[in-house]
Amino acid sequence: MPRIAVQDSYVDVPEGSTIEDAMRASGRTPDSYIYLADGRPVPMDSRPDVDVRALRVASGG
């Protein structure tokens, strides 16, 4: 089962679920992150078959 690395923890991505589904189920806001698989950006509506890293996006002015 693929996982999403988020800071110092992991979120499991159940089979058939998207990155967005898994992040929401863990209580996180999916839009607050950029997702990388093998070092390349992937959309949050993808169903990963490898582990994914989530990088928090900072915004403001």
Side-chain angles (χ1 to χ4, degrees), residues 2-50:
R3 300 185 303 172
I4 303 169
V6 184
Q7 295 173 333
D8 293 335
S9 64
Y10 291 93
V11 175
D12 290 328
V13 182
E15 188 170 332
S17 295
T18 64
I19 293 169
E20 181 178 11
D21 296 336
M23 292 295 280
R24 284 194 194 285
S26 73
R28 293 177 173 87
T29 306
D31 294 338
S32 298
Y33 298 87
I34 293 174
Y35 303 97
L36 302 173
D38 294 328
R40 295 178 182 236
V42 292
M44 69 177 143
D45 64 350
S46 63
R47 291 177 170 82
D49 56 1
V50 297

